């Protein structure tokens, strides 16, 4: 079971209901949705770079610009900022801590005033399933990478919406990529040797589960390819070649390090999302054939035993939070299909079947289950982007996807995914002030969400706590 302390019904209610009421009264000013950190996605960089968006996506555009600015306000990020250095002693090493491990310092030499660094070396650590140790949040590397990923994606899309070769949005992307990956003072070493590390004398090395920490690479690849494909001048040839060099080193780590190999061979969501990450990196380094090989390999391999004839996913269904894990793995499947069709437009991953079931069937099945069965009603929103993606690819001839989304009350057409999950019915053409929102219109949009800033933060916190508490096992 998860701990009620991690998040509560009340958090989500205060999060959802008043916000939507507010949004609906401020629609005239192009309302924006509160920030949501989608698990993983790869908006088609060609579609976005072309910049041909319908009038119905004006709400999604305003939300994307607001999220680009919100994320940018937290950057730039660097692994060198954390207060505790990795066991290597190298401040350039990425580190995160295993979420469910708690210190037992009864056998430590100095029990009076242990620093966090001493505690991490000297104390024993005990596993408490589902209970996230709040100390995990002291080291911000993984939150930083999640935010960096969203900052790169939304600022790249916002740059296209400006319809100019250079803008503050693309300058943000260049600055954030340079700071995290490239600048000699602040760069991350290209490895995850200390990701989701167990602490204590028996720990000090990363775990295979930590490879999930950088799943945001699918979003980063989309953002970089959007700037490349739209010939943005802030994404310079020099940045591009330095980033390719970094990614090649990290790819080498992902394909050889023991923990990375363990993630590569995990047959559940870890394996799906390992492929998301590796294929996205292959696209950044222009190894299109490599991206095709790995994503096609996913549909011929793991996918075949992840899905059964009813469209359920036995390996995710057996978890304590099956609604969450099924959605998480479906987002990974969708991302692999998007990566593959981008790399090879003739590929047909959406038609791939496992025991007769397609990706569509996994979503259709999940729509018939009730998240409350396992006390997961608070995270019912995790299915919305998956439904939007499925409707955009397979169509919605009987209107069941739109009906489901409308019944939730969630303003799905104002959500970021609505921009790239097209075609999908909905949207507010009467609000089509412009298909390229200028800073003025985005500020108007921003104002409606800043009025509910605290609520928005609660939503985000709910999301991020979920991400930590639930996704990693
Ligand atoms: C215990 O740790 C504190 C803080 O790190 C330190 O000031 C103190 O000298 C230590 N005591 C012993 C006996 O090591
Ligand atoms: C990430 O973004 C969220 C939402 O805006 C914010 O609350 C959080 O402080 C950010 N964290 C970092 C490390 O940027
Ligand atoms: C192709 O992908 C498979 C995994 O599906 C991997 O084992 C193999 O090494 C890859 N081949 C190349 C040439 O990258
Ligand atoms: C599909 O998997 C689910 C979850 O493990 C299981 O309950 C169901 O019986 C399976 N269906 C078939 C046809 O095997
Ligand atoms: C599945 O394959 C058929 C036949 O090639 C094609 O018409 C259809 O568009 C494909 N479906 C998807 C979702 O790609
Ligand atoms: C919205 O945009 C479409 C064309 O994209 C136009 O035909 C329509 O009149 C616009 N609606 C409003 C209310 O401006």
């Amino acid at each position: 079971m998860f701990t009620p302390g991690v998040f509560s019904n009340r958090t989500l209610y205060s999060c959802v209901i008043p916000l939507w009421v507010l949004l609906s009264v401020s629609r005239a000013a192009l309302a924006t949705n509160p920030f949501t950190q989608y698990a993983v996605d790869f908006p088609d960089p060609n579609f976005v770079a072309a910049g041909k968006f319908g009038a119905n996506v004006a709400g999604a555009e305003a939300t994307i610009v607001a999220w680009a600015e919100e994320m940018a306000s937290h950057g730039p990020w660097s692994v060198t900022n954390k207060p505790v250095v990795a066991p290597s002693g190298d401040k350039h090493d990425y580190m995160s801590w295993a979420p469910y491990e708690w210190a037992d310092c009864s056998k430590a030499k100095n029990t009076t005033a242990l620093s966090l660094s001493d505690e991490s070396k000297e104390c024993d650590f005990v596993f408490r399933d589902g209970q996230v140790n709040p100390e995990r949040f002291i080291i911000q590397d993984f939150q930083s990478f999640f935010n960096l990923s969203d900052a790169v994606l939304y600022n790249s899309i916002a740059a296209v919406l400006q319809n100019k070769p250079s803008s503050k949005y693309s300058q943000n992307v260049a600055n954030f990529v340079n700071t995290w990956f490239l600048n000699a003072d602040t760069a991350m070493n290209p490895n995850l040797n200390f990701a989701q590390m167990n602490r204590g004398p028996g720990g000090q090395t990363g775990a295979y589960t930590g490879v999930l920490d950088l799943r945001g690479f699918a979003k980063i690849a989309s953002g970089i390819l959007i700037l490349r494909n739209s010939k943005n001048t802030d994404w310079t040839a020099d940045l591009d070649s330095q980033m390719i060099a970094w990614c090649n080193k990290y790819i080498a780590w992902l394909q050889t390090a023991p923990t990375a190999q363990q993630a590569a061979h995990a047959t559940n969501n870890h394996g799906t999302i390992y492929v998301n990450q590796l294929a996205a990196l292959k696209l950044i380094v222009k190894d299109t054939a490599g991206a095709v090989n790995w994503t096609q390999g996913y549909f011929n391999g793991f996918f075949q035993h992840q899905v059964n004839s009813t469209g359920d996913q036995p390996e995710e269904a057996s978890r304590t939070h099956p609604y969450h894990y099924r959605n998480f793995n479906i987002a990974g499947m969708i991302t692999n299909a998007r990566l593959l069709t981008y790399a090879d437009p003739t590929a047909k991953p959406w038609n791939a079947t496992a025991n007769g079931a397609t990706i569509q069937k996994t979503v259709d099945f999940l729509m018939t289950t009730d998240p409350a069965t396992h006390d997961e009603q608070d995270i019912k929103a995790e299915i919305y982007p998956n439904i939007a993606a499925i409707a955009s690819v397979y169509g919605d001839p009987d209107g069941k996807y739109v009906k489901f989304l409308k019944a939730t009350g969630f303003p799905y057409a104002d959500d970021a995914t609505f921009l790239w999950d097209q075609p999908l019915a909905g949207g507010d053409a009467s609000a089509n002030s412009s298909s390229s929102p200028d800073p003025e219109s985005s500020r108007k949009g921003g104002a409606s969400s800043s009025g509910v800033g605290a609520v928005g933060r609660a939503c985000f916190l709910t999301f991020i706590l979920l991400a930590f508490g639930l996704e990693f096992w």
Side-chain angles (χ1 to χ4, degrees):
M1 288 305 292
F2 58 81
T3 44
V6 173
F7 64 93
S8 65
N9 287 1
R10 217 146 37 104
T11 315
L12 200 88
Y13 270 82
S14 67
C15 170
V16 172
I17 295 169
L19 189 64
W20 295 348
V21 171
L22 263 164
L23 286 170
S24 58
V25 295
S26 60
R27 285 201 66 83
L30 269 189
T32 62
N33 278 5
F35 178 67
T36 298
Q37 202 134 47
Y38 304 127
V40 61
D41 204 344
F42 180 77
D44 182 333
N46 286 334
F47 170 77
V48 176
K52 296 199 171 67
F53 308 117
N56 61 326
V57 302
E61 289 177 355
T63 293
I64 284 170
V65 172
W67 291 3
E69 293 185 358
E70 179 176 350
M71 284 296 100
S73 73
H74 299 293
W77 302 264
S78 165
V79 296
T80 60
N81 291 338
K82 58 183 170 298
V84 186
V85 77
S88 58
D90 185 340
K91 69 176 184 150
H92 295 279
D93 275 335
Y94 177 98
M95 177 168 67
S96 63
W97 289 338
Y100 302 147
E101 298 281 336
W102 294 71
D104 168 5
C105 298
S106 56
K107 292 190 216 118
K109 283 174 251 139
N110 182 347
T111 53
T112 48
L114 278 173
S115 70
L116 200 55
S117 162
D118 290 341
E119 178 201 286
S120 299
K121 283 184 211 126
E122 294 177 19
C123 300
D124 291 328
F125 278 79
V126 288
F127 179 74
R128 295 192 206 153
D129 196 10
Q131 298 187 32
V132 177
N133 184 341
E135 283 179 0
R136 174 162 165 75
F137 302 94
I138 295 167
I139 307 296
Q140 303 239 327
D141 285 359
F142 68 107
Q143 277 166 295
S144 298
F145 194 80
F146 287 168
N147 284 11
L148 167 73
S149 310
D150 281 321
V152 168
L153 175 62
Y154 296 122
N155 280 277
S156 297
I157 302 176
V160 170
L161 295 174
Q162 300 314 298
N163 202 19
K164 286 184 271 184
S166 171
S167 68
K168 70 170 178 182
Y169 299 107
S170 40
Q171 284 158 18
N172 282 340
V173 177
N175 177 21
F176 297 160
V177 166
N178 185 56
T179 305
W180 184 276
F181 298 103
L182 308 175
N183 178 302
D185 292 333
T186 53
M188 172 187 162
N189 290 332
N191 72 68
L192 286 179
N193 291 337
F194 305 103
Q196 293 201 24
M197 180 182 90
N198 287 308
R199 290 181 281 162
Q204 308 297 320
T205 57
Y208 86 93
T209 49
V211 175
L212 272 185
D213 282 11
L214 297 204
R215 62 182 177 276
F217 256 118
K219 296 174 183 174
I220 289 177
S222 175
I224 288 176
L225 295 173
I226 286 167
L227 293 189
R228 247 190 221 160
N229 297 359
S230 62
K231 310 233 178 321
N232 187 289
T233 54
D234 294 320
W235 186 255
T236 61
D238 183 43
L239 261 180
D240 199 54
S241 62
Q242 285 190 58
M243 187 59 183
I244 289 175
W246 192 97
C247 289
N248 273 320
K249 289 187 207 146
Y250 178 56
I251 287 172
W253 183 89
L254 268 183
Q255 298 204 259
T256 55
T259 49
Q261 285 311 293
Q262 214 182 330
H265 289 101
T267 55
N268 65 357
N269 64 77
H270 288 274
T272 310
I273 289 169
Y274 174 91
V275 174
N276 290 169
Q277 195 184 144
L278 183 57
L281 286 155
K282 299 260 179 195
L283 289 177
I284 295 176
V285 304
K286 306 184 179 178
D287 176 8
T288 308
V292 171
N293 172 60
W294 278 90
T295 46
Q296 193 64 65
Y298 166 77
F299 287 102
N300 297 337
F302 292 155
F303 179 71
Q304 294 301 318
H305 54 255
Q306 284 181 349
V307 179
N308 73 17
S309 62
T310 43
D312 200 358
Q313 306 165 67
E315 282 183 276
E316 311 305 330
S318 62
R319 307 294 296 266
T320 47
H321 306 108
Y323 198 77
H324 165 75
Y325 279 104
R326 288 181 184 118
N327 270 311
F328 189 54
N329 196 46
I330 289 170
M333 292 177 191
I334 289 170
T335 300
N336 277 335
R338 290 181 161 168
L339 286 159
L340 176 52
T341 49
Y342 176 79
D344 176 6
T346 68
K348 297 241 175 292
W350 303 107
N351 271 329
T353 54
N355 300 303
T358 58
I359 301 177
Q360 180 179 29
K361 193 152 184 186
T362 65
V363 173
D364 288 352
F365 170 79
L366 197 48
M367 283 166 66
T368 68
T369 72
D370 180 358
T373 309
H374 290 87
D375 205 14
E376 296 178 280
Q377 57 280 4
D378 290 354
I379 54 153
K380 62 180 187 187
E382 289 186 8
I383 199 174
Y384 306 161
N386 288 337
I387 292 175
I390 289 310
S392 74
V393 171
Y394 295 91
D396 191 13
D398 52 6
K400 75 171 174 180
Y401 299 122
V402 164
K403 191 171 161 221
F404 185 104
L405 290 171
K406 285 210 164 124
T408 66
F410 175 69
Y412 69 94
D414 292 336
D415 221 40
T417 56
F418 191 71
L419 180 95
W420 59 85
D421 284 333
Q422 288 294 321
L424 168 61
D428 188 359
S430 67
N432 33 283
S433 56
S434 156
S435 62
S436 345
D438 53 24
E440 181 55 28
S441 70
S442 73
R443 227 171 282 126
K444 272 189 246 151
S448 69
S449 67
S450 66
V452 289
V455 179
R457 247 187 300 286
C459 292
F460 174 81
L461 259 181
T462 306
F463 236 85
I464 210 158
L465 288 173
L466 284 169
F468 302 14
L470 302 177
E471 277 170 11
F472 294 147
W473 288 88

